[in-house]
Amino acid sequence: MASRKKVLLKVIILGDSGVGKTSLMNQYVAKKFSNQYKATIGADFLTKEVMVDDRLVTMQIWDTAGQERFQSLGVAFYRGADGCVLVFDVTMPNTFRSLDSWRDEFLIQASPRDPENFPFVVIGNKVDLENRGVSGRRAQGWCHTKGDIPYFETSAKEAINVEQAFQAVAKNAMAQETDVELCSEFPDPIKLSGDNNKPQGNNCPC
Amino acid sequence: MHDAFEPVPILERLPLHIESISSFESTLLLGTREGVLLQYKVQRSKNKGDNKFEVQLERSNKSFAKKPITQLAAVPELYILISLSDNVISVHDLTSFNLITCVQKTKGASLFAVDVQNKQTPTGVEPSLRIGIASKRKIQLFYWHNRDFTELLNDLSVYDIPHALTWCKDSLCVGFKRDYYMINSKTGNLKELFPVGNNQRYPIVTRLFDNRLALGRDAMSILINSEGDPTQKEPINWSDIPQAMEHSLPYLVAILPKFVEVRTITPKMLIQNITLSDARYICQGDGCLYVASQNTVWRLVVVQYSLQIKQLLKSKEFELALKLAELVEEQASEKEKRIRNIKNLYAFDLFCQKRFGDSLSLFAKLGTDPAHVIGLYPNLLPQQYRNNLSYPKDVPDLQGAENEKGIMALIEYLTQKRTEVMKDMGKEFQPTAIVEGDKTTKPGKQLRQIIDTTLLKCYLQTNDALVAPLLRLKDNHCHVVESERVLMKKEKFSELIILYQTKELHQKALSLLMKQAARPESNLKGHERTVTYLQHLGPDHINLIFEYAEWVLKQHPEDGLKIFTEDLPEVESLPREMVLEYLEKISPDLPLFYLEHIIMDLKDQTNLFHNRLVDLYRERVQRLRLEYIDSLPEGHPPSKAGEEPGELGEARKKLVTFLHTSQSYIPERLLTHFPTDGFFEERAILLGRLGRHEQALSIYIHTLNNTRMAEEFCARNYDKDKEGNKDVYYLMLKMFLKPPEGTCDETNGKMLEVALNLLEDHAMKIDVPKALELLPQTTKLRDILTFLENVMENQAVRRRHNQVLKSMLYAENLQVTENLIQKQAVKISVSDEDLCRSCRKRIGQSVFCRYPNGHLVHYSCFNNRDANKS
């Protein structure tokens, strides 16, 4: 059965340089954190197997370079992404302001079928630091205007909320995945009767 | 089908019976049934363009063999000729035809196969020759060494007489009457492949250029690799059973019973049929292909590739045309151009076939001018621009779902292109046209405009949720007029606003917003969008903000005010004075809210703003107070400041609190504005600020009759180190005991009591002798006993405190002195070896300094260093 086949989710992490994209990925996948800053060059990925609603899913998490803009990575890189994590640093308001353009760039490059419902997740990282510059309310507000994107405040250093944020990515990406699967496997039925008013629910028994 | 070869007869009506042929360079060798070996030189005739050859018999060796020469193989690399006659292999010198060796071991041979490999050795390229010989039911393997054949492997016995034998890498493919086998020449292992066809008389094995073999099975040829595994699913299907075959890139030429057939492997195509009567043998060497019958030899001349390509393009055989283009011998740049041209035509043809994805990804790889590609679609380029483009033939008219499919492919293509173009900002990038020689769009701004504007149009047609993100991209190059036109047409006002915003056409955006705000069915109705827009403009566009904030402020003052108060850096940096002035013009209520915002929230300390806010508060209180007093019944005293009912009380409380808390207003300027009837408390605060404490206290005590407030005032203003402020309690006391002229003194007794209480509570903060002087002569000592006790006690505490302090300081002094004595008692001996740490010279008799760490330096060096430091 189709739904039992192995699922691979491609998740891309975006955000300004130094917000902690690599750290988040390392914390999530390897449970490791280093205080040292090393700029990511190009892109790199790690995989992790997670359970989403009783299904084993392999998450392929792509960490990108924040310093260089999109130009370094081709359209092909973004094609087929199942989820996107937008990261900012809660102590740096300008990294929060960039979220808009990261999201727009992603949408243009990846051209998803349904941009308004694409599974994004926003992460406000470094909540362990004292000097907060972006309030949770403001970040929530932004996420709300962009179609209720789930928002998580994390600390890659203290491993706060990291697991939950990525789990949400996987879950939402899976939800979209199954939507698409259903669409492609069951094309619109050809109506034989002239009765168009009949409700067309998903009466599929599976 | 097209003409790939042209058969040209080389020899006709030969009196001898041809049994075998072989060729190398321009030489053609014929072995005959009579045992005669003929050597011809075949050269293209000098008249160019003519497919005629000059054929010259160079040699005829009548005594080459006694029996028919059944097989010939020239090995020019080793200057030898290998022949099979009378069932034995002989090797002759290729130049003299002298016999080198007759390999007796091979007696009984019926067939042989040679394999020459050029091995790279330290001394250069060295050809190595292997031979496989079928001799009755065994196979012999030799290699050529020291001008003789040496055994490579022991003879292999096989179950039948081999009828076909061909090398492929280290394997030897053997065709028997019934099936094919593969023999590994290193191990001798045999591998059975598959049976020969039922209708075919003999097996046939042909070696291809890419180390593959074509094995005949009736009218099919099955392709296998050197391991014996099939390499492609589909065999090649011939029109009849092939009898002999050669591979001449990119064609496979087979002799069929009735004619010669030419085919290609990928794509699988029939190219040409050539009728050559009774053709039986085929061989190739150095690019020439010969076909021979018993007494005639033809040469198959390759038709010029460029002509073939033309024919192929006409019949849309692009893949084959590309293969041929690779083979054309011409300059690299020319070749590249030709190939690109073919590919462009191919991509165009794919487009016409509605294979959009394939077509566009090919165009993308080719670097074709995106404008030309976009022009393939209807209504995407401006008509005028489109008219200048030409295509190999009419572009299909796309409709409906087909168009959408095409547009989706175009979106993918354009997003890829736009990244490429961005990346190549600085680099020279020359796009090519679909039709060779056509004009192309200059790379740079125009190209980027075309790409982005088209992308916008595509999104509008397929996925308009992506329009906004595209327009928001900072580096988008959407052409303003064109984008404006299409967005207007689709009534995408919200997106249009974004376009204006990123292109900084704020005036247009704002006037559109204003118009749309009034339209109830518009998705831009209302003022929110205008407010957000204005909030992001920043101080550079202050006049624009003022122009368009007006209608919002007038209709929705509260939301309108957010234009100037939102927590955004752009808003915060607006020039506040100008904003204030502007708001005053719009409505009298607005400045108050604005000032409260900048003072309370943004902590602005500008005096002007603080004064202005006090004025505004005062004006409001005055206005409300007037109404309040009018409403009071006759003779009813007004409530205390801040305790009036309703709005007035609130306003007054605000005013008083602000006067208390703000440190930035200028009291001198304010005082005169407060009327002297009422506003006592406010005046008192201001007087206090001015240092006119007596007046302030007089208001509290005599006008307001409120001792508590006076005391609070003192507590706020007392400062024992500040000249004007250290006497506030004393002044208050004085206010009670020696009230200024004109104030009633009927409550004198009560006053004294209050004064005594004050003395008791603040004994420490009042100058005692001066206070005592103030007390009336009649004051009973008993009444001031507590006060005096307090004073005395306090004095005693202070004295003891000072004594302790003094002793401690004295002890410290002793310690330091002791330390000093110790330090001074250090003895230093300077010998001849002691050098100055600074100049490295001997200290000798000079004056010196010693650092705490024991280092010695000249006194002058020490001074110099000090001087340098400062």
Side-chain angles (χ1 to χ4, degrees), chain B residues 554-805:
Chain B
K554 284 191 171 148
Q555 291 174 21
H556 311 273
E558 212 161 292
D559 290 344
L561 204 62
K562 282 197 187 136
I563 297 170
F564 304 99
T565 60
E566 189 68 32
D567 180 20
L568 283 171
E570 290 91 344
V571 174
E572 219 177 301
S573 58
L574 293 176
R576 291 173 188 167
E577 259 171 78
M578 282 171 81
V579 173
L580 187 61
E581 210 176 294
Y582 165 76
L583 291 175
E584 274 167 355
K585 266 186 244 156
I586 301 280
S587 152
D589 296 331
L590 296 172
L592 186 87
F593 295 117
Y594 183 64
L595 283 169
E596 278 181 347
H597 167 71
I598 59 172
I599 291 171
M600 316 290 178
D601 301 340
L602 305 180
K603 313 283 178 231
D604 193 311
Q605 299 297 338
T606 316
N607 306 358
L608 192 79
F609 294 148
H610 285 248
N611 274 23
R612 188 84 194 96
L613 185 59
V614 173
D615 282 339
L616 287 170
Y617 278 147
R618 176 183 49 77
E619 279 162 24
R620 193 168 63 168
V621 172
Q622 260 180 307
R623 201 175 58 243
L624 292 166
R625 191 162 175 274
L626 239 104
E627 290 168 19
Y628 168 63
I629 292 189
D630 281 352
S631 71
L632 278 180
E634 200 73 27
H636 196 285
S639 305
K640 274 171 70 184
E643 285 167 22
E644 296 94 337
E647 209 187 332
L648 175 60
E650 288 288 308
R652 194 121 194 223
K653 228 183 257 167
K654 259 190 187 171
L655 174 58
V656 171
T657 318
F658 185 67
L659 285 172
H660 273 316
T661 49
S662 164
Q663 300 297 326
S664 300
Y665 58 82
I666 306 168
E668 292 92 327
R669 294 202 202 142
L670 292 172
L671 193 58
T672 48
H673 296 290
F674 282 92
T676 40
D677 61 326
F679 292 102
F680 298 114
E681 199 182 339
E682 290 84 350
R683 288 173 58 80
I685 298 170
L686 289 172
L687 286 166
R689 278 290 163 86
L690 285 168
R692 288 150 71 178
H693 302 300
E694 260 186 280
Q695 277 176 282
L697 286 167
S698 152
I699 292 178
Y700 283 126
I701 293 165
H702 299 299
T703 317
L704 296 173
N705 283 325
N706 192 329
T707 321
R708 192 184 47 79
M709 280 170 89
E711 227 172 304
E712 276 170 14
F713 173 86
C714 289
R716 268 199 310 278
N717 287 290
Y718 176 73
D719 186 348
K720 73 173 170 24
D721 299 324
K722 212 170 143 193
E723 196 48 50
N725 293 24
K726 70 176 183 190
D727 287 334
V728 282
Y729 282 103
Y730 167 72
L731 289 172
M732 185 172 163
L733 191 66
K734 196 174 155 193
M735 217 37 83
F736 288 122
L737 299 175
K738 282 199 179 150
E741 298 290 310
T743 47
C744 50
D745 50 358
E746 43 186 345
T747 50
N748 229 346
K750 197 186 160 205
M751 279 293 190
L752 184 64
E753 197 192 320
V754 176
L756 290 175
N757 278 343
L758 188 71
L759 270 177
E760 276 171 30
D761 291 349
H762 302 283
M764 290 308 296
K765 296 168 191 160
I766 295 176
D767 192 331
V768 183
K770 271 159 97 184
L772 290 177
E773 259 172 46
L774 278 178
L775 289 173
Q777 297 295 327
T778 54
T779 315
K780 286 172 192 145
L781 200 54
R782 196 186 55 215
D783 290 339
I784 57 167
L785 181 65
T786 326
F787 163 63
L788 289 175
E789 270 174 4
N790 276 351
V791 170
M792 298 300 275
E793 196 183 315
N794 261 314
Q795 293 296 344
V797 166
R798 248 165 77 188
R799 204 179 94 223
R800 277 175 214 123
H801 177 80
N802 286 344
Q803 274 173 341
V804 170
L805 193 66

Side-chain angles (χ1 to χ4, degrees), chain B residues 195-215:
Chain B
V196 173
N198 294 331
N199 302 321
Q200 134 188 52
R201 277 182 63 199
Y202 290 111
I204 157 170
V205 181
T206 313
R207 181 167 169 184
L208 309 184
F209 279 96
D210 47 4
N211 278 322
R212 288 196 291 174
L213 293 170
L215 271 52

Side-chain angles (χ1 to χ4, degrees), chain A residues 3-206:
Chain A
S3 63
R4 283 288 145 227
K5 74 174 179 232
K6 215 170 168 197
V7 184
L8 181 83
L9 293 178
K10 182 173 173 182
V11 174
I12 295 175
I13 312 184
L14 298 176
D16 278 2
S17 126
V19 297
K21 298 179 289 298
T22 310
S23 296
L24 279 167
M25 180 173 81
N26 282 336
Q27 177 59 260
Y28 179 58
V29 179
K31 309 253 179 289
K32 276 185 192 143
F33 179 81
S34 156
N35 256 323
Q36 241 166 10
Y37 175 69
K38 236 167 62 190
T40 306
I41 296 162
D44 194 6
F45 78 86
L46 292 178
T47 54
K48 177 163 171 125
E49 296 204 327
V50 286
M51 291 299 289
V52 178
D53 300 337
D54 301 335
R55 279 187 71 181
L56 189 63
V57 175
T58 308
M59 272 225 261
Q60 189 182 64
I61 306 170
W62 282 85
D63 175 30
T64 58
Q67 280 183 5
E68 296 164 60
R69 298 292 284 166
F70 266 77
Q71 282 85 322
S72 62
L73 304 160
V75 179
F77 175 78
Y78 294 93
R79 282 285 140 83
D82 298 293
C84 177
V85 181
L86 301 170
V87 187
F88 72 95
D89 177 346
V90 292
T91 67
M92 311 268 275
N94 56 328
T95 63
F96 173 68
R97 255 171 265 138
S98 311
L99 288 191
D100 249 318
S101 54
W102 282 113
R103 180 174 168 273
D104 288 337
E105 291 264 17
F106 175 83
L107 286 177
I108 294 303
Q109 300 270 353
S111 304
R113 272 169 219 272
D114 185 5
E116 271 149 349
N117 294 318
F118 187 83
F120 281 101
V121 162
V122 171
I123 290 184
N125 193 29
K126 308 198 189 177
V127 285
D128 53 290
L129 295 183
E130 300 274 300
N131 49 331
R132 256 194 102 118
V134 183
S135 67
R137 194 177 47 85
R138 209 166 135 206
Q140 279 288 8
W142 185 84
C143 292
H144 181 71
T145 58
K146 300 294 169 191
D148 279 325
I149 302 179
Y151 172 61
F152 291 89
E153 299 208 329
T154 66
S155 161
K157 187 177 178 182
E158 309 289 345
I160 300 169
N161 242 349
V162 176
E163 194 85 23
Q164 289 87 327
F166 278 97
Q167 188 69 29
V169 183
K171 199 176 159 131
N172 294 354
M174 277 302 290
Q176 290 270 316
E177 191 86 337
T178 37
D179 281 358
V180 174
E181 261 176 26
L182 282 175
C183 294
S184 54
E185 274 170 47
F186 306 103
D188 287 342
I190 299 161
K191 277 166 267 173
L192 295 177
S193 67
D195 184 13
N196 287 335
N197 298 332
K198 235 179 186 173
Q200 260 193 283
N202 275 340
N203 296 331
C204 174
C206 61

Side-chain angles (χ1 to χ4, degrees), chain B residues 325 330-340 436:
Chain B
E330 58 191 347
Q331 272 191 335
S333 63
E334 284 293 305
K335 181 177 271 189
E336 200 183 309
K337 203 170 132 195
R338 185 196 293 272
I339 290 173
R340 198 167 47 213
E436 218 180 331

